[in-house]
Amino acid sequence: MSVRIAVVGSGPSGLYTVAGLLASKVPMSVDVIDRLPTPFGLVRYGVAPDHAKMKIVSKVLSKPFVRDDVRYLGNVEVGRDVSHAELVERYDAVVYACGSEHDRRLGIPGEDLPGVLGAGEFVRWYNGHPDVADVEHTLDVDSAVVVGAGNVALDVARVLSRTAEELRDTDVPTRVWGILRDSAIRDVHVLIRRGPAEAKFTPAELFQLSELADADVEVHDGGAGIPHPESVKDKRTRQNLETFQMLASTPSQGRRRRLHLRFLTSPLEIVGASRVEGVAVERNDVVDGRLVGTGERTVLPTGMVVTAVGFRGSPVEGLPFDDGTGTVPHEAGRVISDGVPLTGVYVAGWLKRGPTGVIGTNRPDGGETAASVLADLADRPRTERDDLLELLATRSVHVTDWAGWLRLEEHEGERGATSGRGRVKVHDLPTMLHYTGGGSRGR
Ligand code: NAP
């Protein structure tokens, strides 16, 4: 009898785990469960639309689905359509790889004013996530502030600084492309609370700022205070410092937009009567490696604030949760409850290690979880188990499959071809379900 394994989440962490499992040649059937009819998680809905090359990884992630013993069960939400306990009954192992969906908050006054949004929400919007298909961001203000010094802050600042032509060949939904094309934003300020040597940007992503077609990059203070790159041992930091120096020494060319990198600047408060009108910021100093406010305060006028200060996982029903880290306690992917492993329950990806790392980080991470699953299963007796699809059928859940996804993908390609763009995403759930064969979501 082959083992039955469920992987919840079809993003890179889930699908690299599947690849790790299949590499073992142990007879198994794997069900990949996702609440959406579309696979790939962050590759489809997180990676910036102008990073098309990064999305090519979806071809690698698709490979398991050529096999008859690997099924995609889309449009199925664990916790709503099926419970954790019901999964554990039906599978020898259940791997949760469902990410960190929530934006971390800044925790400053004014954060809930209209016009302030978390990067996760904004990224999902421009990437055509169905959860935010109805949300309108008009971009009718002349400046935006992005808080954070990680790659997500860079993604947001870059997308806001791109021209319509630069975005034409991306897969952003038609409506989103129109809004970005008509954007009134001329200044994008990135607030970096520490200095240039501490920014978490990766060098390749930072360098891309020098390649924007119609935006000047202005480095705060004209680049004064950027440490000499040769004074730094770490290669990544050295490369970043070289890029900051290059950006600082490039004269402004009077381009349509300006992207400002403001070091040693922390937001104190978001101000505005009924919506955001500005961000009160304080200048920082670094003393003995510690960040210290100087008391020098100013208000940066803006009509839009995007906070890109990291993400947090949320608890999964039936699993322990560490509220401090926003992750599920584990040892090599085995979920640990009250100091002991929960039989047959595992985690992978951001839910396991926190919201860090690039797409490729999930390969060894998923491999580690897969190795734990396989090692445990080697010692466990096999039991006859019911098929999850039978239970879902009794609940009239319209499960979508891999063939359905391929139909939607083909339709997205055709939409792109007819509109003179590349592939164009469908972002509303009813149309997604129409093409994937999931029927109506209501039951
Ligand atoms: P991140 O790399 O952890 O960056 C979060 C940033 O927020 C840090 O710079 C942090 O500053 C700052 N921050 C936190 N609290 C703050 C506060 N109260 N005030 C001001 N700033 C604050 O997280 P991320 O950008 O969300 O990215 C998540 C992961 O995805 C990262 O590993 C990233 O590299 C990866 N990613 C990769 C790509 C890519 O490869 N192209 C694209 C997107 C994301 P401090 O540094 O001072 O703590």
Side-chain angles (χ1 to χ4, degrees), residues 54 106 149-152 155 193-194 205 308-309 311 355-358:
M54 259 184 223
L106 276 173
N151 282 333
V152 172
D155 283 348
R193 65 178 169 181
R194 295 191 280 163
E205 276 63 34
V309 295
F311 299 97
T356 58
V358 294

Side-chain angles (χ1 to χ4, degrees), residues 51 54 104-106 147-153 155 191 193-194 198-200 202 205 265-267 291 308-311 350 355-359:
H51 279 170
M54 259 184 223
R104 275 194 56 231
R105 286 176 64 84
L106 276 173
V147 183
N151 282 333
V152 172
D155 283 348
L191 304 189
R193 65 178 169 181
R194 295 191 280 163
E198 292 89 26
K200 285 187 175 152
T202 47
E205 276 63 34
T265 307
S266 278
L291 204 60
V309 295
F311 299 97
W350 281 8
T356 58
V358 294
I359 302 282

Side-chain angles (χ1 to χ4, degrees), residues 232-386:
V232 175
K233 282 210 179 77
D234 175 61
K235 186 176 170 199
R236 188 190 66 86
T237 310
R238 203 167 54 238
Q239 289 175 324
N240 275 355
L241 294 177
E242 283 164 2
T243 301
F244 285 134
Q245 279 193 335
M246 177 266 288
L247 293 170
S249 60
T250 306
S252 291
Q253 298 181 42
R255 289 173 165 174
R256 187 154 176 263
R257 291 199 168 101
R258 289 159 298 279
L259 191 158
H260 308 261
L261 297 174
R262 307 176 77 101
F263 297 114
L264 294 168
T265 307
S266 278
L268 292 178
E269 182 179 355
I270 297 169
V271 293
S274 56
R275 57 169 294 119
V276 54
E277 292 168 22
V279 184
V281 297
E282 179 173 21
R283 186 73 187 206
N284 298 322
D285 233 342
V286 178
V287 180
D288 297 332
R290 272 187 322 114
L291 204 60
V292 183
T294 61
E296 185 190 324
R297 298 178 182 202
T298 43
V299 173
L300 200 56
T302 188
M304 177 178 178
V305 176
V306 182
T307 60
V309 295
F311 299 97
R312 258 188 77 77
S314 46
V316 175
E317 177 247 315
L319 264 56
F321 190 70
D322 180 336
D323 211 38
T325 58
T327 58
V328 172
H330 75 97
E331 275 171 19
R334 295 180 178 90
V335 173
I336 303 292
S337 180
D338 296 329
V340 288
L342 273 186
T343 307
V345 188
Y346 303 84
V347 274
W350 281 8
L351 200 56
K352 169 185 176 187
R353 66 174 194 272
T356 58
V358 294
I359 302 282
T361 313
N362 292 294
R363 196 168 171 211
D365 179 287
E368 181 192 58
T369 296
S372 296
V373 173
L374 293 164
D376 296 352
L377 286 177
D379 299 337
R380 282 179 56 201
R382 307 276 183 270
T383 349
E384 197 65 53
R385 292 173 189 273
D386 294 338

Side-chain angles (χ1 to χ4, degrees), residues 71-114:
R71 301 188 296 190
Y72 184 74
L73 310 187
N75 198 35
V76 177
E77 190 169 334
V78 177
R80 193 195 62 175
D81 299 320
V82 56
S83 71
H84 168 67
E86 288 163 339
L87 284 184
V88 170
E89 272 170 33
R90 283 164 180 77
Y91 294 94
D92 297 288
V94 181
V95 181
Y96 285 92
C98 37
S100 302
E101 290 214 335
H102 299 285
D103 287 296
R104 275 194 56 231
R105 286 176 64 84
L106 276 173
I108 60 173
E111 203 170 353
D112 294 316
L113 278 172

Side-chain angles (χ1 to χ4, degrees), residues 1 8 12 30 53 56 93 101 114 164 175 192 196 236 266 280 295 384 386 403 413 417 430 441:
M1 196 188 307
V8 181
V30 181
K53 274 195 192 142
I56 292 174
E101 290 214 335
R175 186 176 57 93
I192 301 164
R236 188 190 66 86
S266 278
E384 197 65 53
D386 294 338
R441 187 145 182 108

